[in-house]
Amino acid sequence: MTFEVDEEILQDFLVEAGEILELLSEQLIELENNPNDTELLNAIFRGFHTVKGGAGFLSLTELVQTCHGAENVFDCLRQHNRSLNAALMDTILAALDVINEQFDAVKSGDTVTAAPADILEQLHKLSRPESEDKVTAPTAPPVDAVKKPSAQAATVDLNDESNSSIDEISESEFDALLDELHGKSGSTVTAPAAAPESGDISDDEFESLLDELHGVGKHSMAATAEVETSTASVSDDIDDDEFESLLDELHGKGVHGAISTQAPAADNNSSADEITDDEFESLLDELHGAGKSVQTSAEIKPPAVKTPPPEAQPKPQPEAVTEKVVKPAPTAAVAKKTAVAKAEPTVRVNTATLDEIMNMVGELVLVRNRLVSLESTSEDEEISRAVANLDIVTGDLQGSVMKTRMQPIKKVFGKFPRVVRDMARTLGKDIRLELVGEETDLDKNLVEALADPLVHLVRNSVDHGIEMPIVRMQSGKEKEGRILLSASQEGDHILLVIEDDGAGMDPNKLKQIAMDKGILDQDGADRMSDTEAFSLIFAPGFSTKVEISDISGRGVGMDVVKTGITKLNGTIAIDSAMGKGTRLEIKVPLTLAILPTLMIVVAKQTFALPLTNINEIFHLDLGKTNIVNGQIMVVIRGRAIPLFYLRDWLAPNAEPIEKSKGLGLVVIVQLGIQQVAFVVDALLGQEEVVIKALDKLLSGTPGMAGATITSDGGIALILDLPSLLKHYA
């Protein structure tokens, strides 16, 4: 940035431009699929234009340059001068990547680097009409010869034989050049307002010449020329009627209307303001060239010569024009007020403030839990009524505050059309991405945390799941593959589904790869079900790709998914069928700020188990267990599940108990597709808790996610089941 700007203005730009750039990536892919969507095309054009305008205000020249190039391309598309194709979209997406990099540099306060020259050159090329791509080289120089030396062309001696530009043009082109300079079809006729014989021209004539050469519209030129002609003979001032007529000219009235409007005004002015028919025709020649002026003057001449009778004098005409010009102004003002009114309900709040409010609500929830616990032992009806009311209000407040932290998952889904499009083009596949439930809301922290796992899952579906078009057609499938990415709310959880109609997974092949990599032995493979075999893809270093590429083959993607989902207290399930496709289901809680838990007792100490992981609870005859390879197992509905005594891990120094005898409380938890059973001493019930981070002394303790204050005022540790199993089992 070239100068110090107001920090508030910069922050507003970063917020607004960030939202626009985030939306542009999704809009561009949508436009490629629907190239005839004019509204979407205009929205993209406005997006680049808005970012360019904000960057220009902040003097971010490099960012302005890139946005301007992209904006020009879409302006060309809007004018239907070029058609949209994959090559053009590749260039635009590459330019968008550069814009995002430049934007990130502005955000971090680093120096903004200019876009690569090849991208700017491609944008410049694509901003020109498609017809110019086929124009032959020899026809281009004469155009440049007319346009480039525009300032010098007015004073150059056209009879000078040494002028090389004249040697390169024909006689007809020479006449056309004279038309450009003097406004007539022949070089021997001079308009009344033309330059003197000496060859010099005045400043006004030079400005008019520049307008002629650089494409000013008819209405603007006519209005300017008429004002200059009328004021040159009198003074630089114009009266009200002339000003209204000028406004009428500037706001879209045609040439014919312009002349007829000014005719009454000319009659009312002094004789010095009147011009003859010949002068009027010469003026038109000066503005539009001989061909157009002859036709125009022929059409306008009768009203200019014939004077209408007094009763037919169009005196109300200026008033009518004035009314037409003035009326839109209040409408514009009303529109502005409406737009401001719509923007007022939205305010920007720092996320740190929301986090602080959420923590305070969490403390209020703990106090509520404490009061509810005390109220249960009280027989005072008034206290019971007050606590019940407090319980309701606290619950409503908690829900409202949670909503302020909610964001639609579209923030994550929006990046996948680009990911799928780029990978499909790289791999030569034809893939259609379907997004469902983009408006599903969940906690802001969850939205950010889900980004990486979902990217790996979608990339996995594109690379491993969807087959090549030829293979799909040979299998009787459609040439175009399909990937579904959906989100929906189920109670206090969010269900995410990633489904494809690809080749599916072969469980036997997965087992063999696992054995080859030393992840699994033959005995374990023989006892493993197909569903369990599918979970092998989450093992570190596991990959079905033989060759390592920049897309896959390293075996880290799905391991990242499992780790990320586990940190969110979520679960993941996978199912697949050969030749039909694969379906992955992810369940995560709505928020991480307040955690629903099951309070348990182990060796007279209270612990909190995340309710999201709990599958079922029941009494078990501990004598009906079996030991397999040194591990206690229990059979539940025909399925063998490992059984652990939490007392052995959480209270190793407590008084030992006799195992495998009597009844015990068993809690079965679900971790991914794996189930584990824990024996606990007692259950206290369900409770919503606020997670408090452990201090430095206890931080990093295996199996502990944090601590909380219970309803009876005590302290309970929150168990991190995956970490607990990894450390002790």
Side-chain angles (χ1 to χ4, degrees), residues 186-434:
S187 60
T188 59
V189 181
T190 306
E197 294 180 359
S198 61
D200 296 332
I201 61 174
S202 65
D203 292 340
D204 294 337
E205 290 167 334
F206 179 67
E207 292 295 337
S208 177
L209 172 63
L210 288 180
D211 289 342
E212 282 291 329
L213 295 179
H214 291 284
V216 176
K218 293 179 181 179
H219 307 302
S220 299
M221 291 189 296
T224 306
E226 289 181 14
V227 172
E228 290 179 356
T229 304
S230 60
T231 56
S233 58
V234 184
S235 66
D236 293 336
D237 298 330
I238 60 174
D239 58 24
D240 293 340
D241 292 338
E242 291 170 333
F243 178 68
E244 296 298 342
S245 300
L246 175 59
L247 285 180
D248 189 33
E249 285 292 328
L250 295 177
H251 287 281
K253 194 159 184 177
V255 176
H256 312 297
I259 303 303
S260 61
T261 303
Q262 290 210 4
D267 292 340
N268 295 331
N269 290 337
S270 63
S271 60
D273 294 334
E274 298 177 357
I275 60 173
T276 65
D277 295 341
D278 294 335
E279 290 173 336
F280 182 75
E281 183 176 352
S282 298
L283 174 60
L284 290 177
D285 288 343
E286 182 75 7
L287 293 174
H288 302 295
K292 293 180 181 178
S293 64
V294 173
Q295 180 183 358
T296 307
S297 61
E299 295 173 358
I300 305 302
K301 186 174 180 181
V305 175
K306 184 178 179 180
T307 304
E311 61 273 8
Q313 287 283 349
K315 290 183 179 179
Q317 182 78 6
E319 296 179 5
V321 174
T322 303
E323 185 179 354
K324 288 182 180 177
V325 174
V326 174
K327 272 188 177 179
T331 307
V334 173
K336 281 187 177 180
K337 289 182 179 178
T338 304
V340 172
K342 288 182 179 178
E344 282 178 0
T346 302
V347 293
R348 301 189 189 279
V349 181
N350 195 315
T351 53
T353 303
L354 294 179
D355 292 339
E356 184 179 353
I357 294 175
M358 195 67 200
N359 289 335
M360 294 170 65
V361 170
E363 296 295 337
L364 183 60
V365 168
L366 296 178
V367 175
R368 185 271 312 266
N369 294 342
R370 176 68 174 151
L371 289 174
V372 170
S373 177
L374 293 175
E375 181 270 334
S376 62
T377 62
S378 173
E379 297 181 355
D380 191 325
E381 185 178 349
E382 290 295 327
I383 292 179
S384 299
R385 194 176 303 165
V387 171
N389 189 29
L390 176 65
D391 188 13
I392 295 174
V393 173
T394 303
D396 292 342
L397 177 61
Q398 176 184 339
S400 299
V401 173
M402 285 178 60
K403 285 182 180 179
T404 64
R405 294 170 52 92
M406 293 293 185
Q407 285 185 340
I409 201 169
K410 184 178 182 180
K411 185 178 177 67
V412 178
F413 281 13
K415 66 175 65 175
F416 292 119
R418 172 76 184 277
V419 172
V420 173
R421 187 251 184 202
D422 289 348
M423 284 191 64
R425 281 181 61 81
T426 301
L427 299 173
K429 297 181 179 181
D430 193 1
I431 301 176
R432 180 180 75 257
L433 176 65
E434 296 180 4

Side-chain angles (χ1 to χ4, degrees), residues 82-125:
R82 185 174 287 276
S83 58
L84 184 66
N85 53 46
L88 183 146
M89 189 56 68
D90 287 339
T91 302
I92 292 296
L93 290 173
L96 181 62
D97 291 338
V98 173
I99 292 173
N100 280 318
E101 292 173 4
Q102 294 172 333
F103 178 76
D104 291 339
V106 175
K107 190 188 300 185
S108 59
D110 298 333
T111 303
V112 181
T113 57
D118 58 333
I119 290 182
L120 293 177
E121 176 61 29
Q122 295 230 2
L123 291 175
H124 179 65
K125 178 182 177 182

Side-chain angles (χ1 to χ4, degrees), residues 640-701:
I641 299 175
L643 180 70
F644 300 96
Y645 287 80
L646 281 180
R647 174 185 286 264
D648 296 342
W649 297 347
L650 303 178
N653 299 324
E655 181 182 351
I657 60 172
E658 189 175 1
K659 300 179 181 179
S660 301
K661 285 188 178 181
L663 292 176
L665 279 172
V666 176
V667 178
I668 296 182
V669 298
Q670 185 87 25
L671 300 174
I673 63 170
Q674 183 182 10
Q675 289 185 342
V676 180
F678 292 116
V679 178
V680 300
D681 294 347
L683 301 175
L684 298 180
Q686 180 181 342
E687 192 170 315
E688 289 185 335
V689 301
V690 180
I691 302 176
K692 301 291 184 182
L694 299 174
D695 61 14
K696 294 181 179 179
L697 182 63
L698 298 176
S699 180
T701 303

